Amino acid sequence: MQLVSSNKGKLPRYMGSSSILILFLQFLSFFTFFMFVPTISTHFNQTVGFSVGFVGLILAVRIISQQGIMIIGGFLADRIGFKRTALIGFLMRGIGFASLGLTTHPMLIIVAAILTGLGGALFSPALKANLTALTPPERHKEVFSLMNIVENAGTVLGPLAGLYFKDESFLILSVLAGGLFVFLSIVVFFLPQATLPSKTSSWIQESTDIVKNKQFMLLTISLVPFHFIYQQLYLTIPIVADKVSGSSGWIFSYVTIIIILFQWPLLLYTKKRRIEHLFICSYFVILAMLLPNAIENQLWSLVLTLTGIAIGAMVLLPVFQSYVAKIAPKESLGAYFGFSNMAMALGGSLGNLAGGFLYDFFVKIHSPDKFWLALSLFTLLPIVLLFKVQFYQPKQGN
């Protein structure tokens, strides 16, 4: 299936203006986020003088208030509308980002961090549910692959834009980032208002129905190890990169460029294969590319690890989002997308806490190579779990 239609220069019919607008919103939100957020720790630690522990608390509060609350954002989107929920979310993040540069009072900083997280918890499931509603079911995997590409493009270009701002320009950068999210809330006005099916079940009943979908739950749980491993890009992999190459600034650029270049060809190769088979194959690839680091930490073994993580991101994330779009009832799209994010919340949190503890432990006993062996073995858990998935047939969305 081609990315463009037979009419040269035109986008395929399933990519209407509203779908393109949502992809633009996703790109600019990722671009702005990664332009601003990497400067937070440096500013509050080195310029303002807060401890590293307090800076870690700021970042943890933002993550928890977004990833842990996203299911509520999904429930809300199903009830008041995708457009309205996204608009409120963008406004909240805009106010939160701008506030981080306007205050140095600890409690106000925490409140601002919570606002930024809650904003993401609202607009993220709302936009994904809206994109699903606007796209023909047979094109979900393609459009979510495109979303993965534009998100990674924002991830690459955002930090490059942030380099133009010096440490003393944090106030300007925070207000600019906040202003861009307010601008996104204005852009949301141009999205069509999706017609929501009437809701007859309560939030509790809807949550119960989601948990009873065994295949969905197993696939969601099986993504936890991937997010655990992916989080090492922020935590332990930069340490290894500094040792073997003298710098860690290139690792994100490498991963995201791989995704941008190979996401679409990989989609064409995998789109007709069963989701559990794709998950199992992806974890075997990640396993194979983590093991060399357990033998020796060299540049070539690190590049293999990064490539394995990139392949996992290219296969697991868009395939899973397409699956969620396929099995979620129309009246519960937001709730399913919000609940599916629990894998990232749990895996990311454990990746930071348990990942850091494990790395420190193995370094302390002079066996850092065993950390990578432990990560490799961790990939076997979802492989075992995924063999059970095939016994549960998904319930199709209404």
Side-chain angles (χ1 to χ4, degrees), residues 13 34-35 45 47 56 61 109 185 196 207 234 236 239 249 258 264 294 302 316 326 345 348 359 377:
R13 292 177 182 177
F34 284 98
M35 176 183 71
N45 176 241
T47 305
V61 164
I109 292 171
S185 71
L196 296 177
S207 299
Y234 300 89
T236 56
I239 298 173
I258 290 291
W264 195 259
L302 178 60
L316 297 174
K326 178 181 178 182
Y359 187 81
L377 295 176

Side-chain angles (χ1 to χ4, degrees), residues 3 11-12 14-31 90 127-128 130-132 134-135 139-154 184 187-188 191 264 321:
L3 178 59
L11 287 166
Y14 65 88
M15 286 297 294
S17 58
S18 298
S19 299
I20 295 171
L21 190 58
I22 291 176
L23 293 179
F24 169 76
L25 290 168
Q26 284 291 96
F27 167 77
L28 195 54
S29 66
F30 270 69
F31 173 88
F90 281 132
L127 288 181
K128 289 177 181 177
N130 204 346
L131 185 62
T132 298
L134 292 169
T135 308
R139 301 293 189 178
H140 284 156
K141 192 177 292 186
E142 296 174 14
V143 81
F144 280 112
S145 292
L146 281 174
M147 179 177 280
N148 200 31
I149 292 172
V150 300
E151 287 174 351
N152 277 278
L184 290 177
V187 175
V188 170
L191 283 176
W264 195 259
Q321 289 173 345

Side-chain angles (χ1 to χ4, degrees), residues 13 30 66 74 76 78 92 127 149 192 256 295-296 320 393-394:
R13 292 177 182 177
F30 270 69
Q66 177 171 343
L76 192 62
D78 289 331
M92 290 178 67
L127 288 181
I149 292 172
T256 49
I295 301 172
E296 59 175 344
F320 181 64
Q393 294 300 317

Side-chain angles (χ1 to χ4, degrees), residues 291-298 300-302 369:
L291 281 174
N293 264 315
I295 301 172
E296 59 175 344
N297 287 153
Q298 297 291 338
W300 67 270
S301 59
L302 178 60
D369 53 313

Side-chain angles (χ1 to χ4, degrees), residues 274-322:
R274 291 169 60 94
I275 184 171
E276 61 269 27
H277 296 164
L278 291 174
F279 270 46
I280 291 170
C281 290
S282 295
Y283 273 116
F284 271 125
V285 169
I286 295 172
L287 168 65
M289 294 194 174
L290 280 172
L291 281 174
N293 264 315
I295 301 172
E296 59 175 344
N297 287 153
Q298 297 291 338
L299 182 58
W300 67 270
S301 59
L302 178 60
V303 169
L304 277 181
T305 294
L306 294 173
T307 304
I309 292 174
I311 291 173
M314 285 187 285
V315 177
L316 297 174
L317 301 184
V319 165
F320 181 64
Q321 289 173 345
S322 173

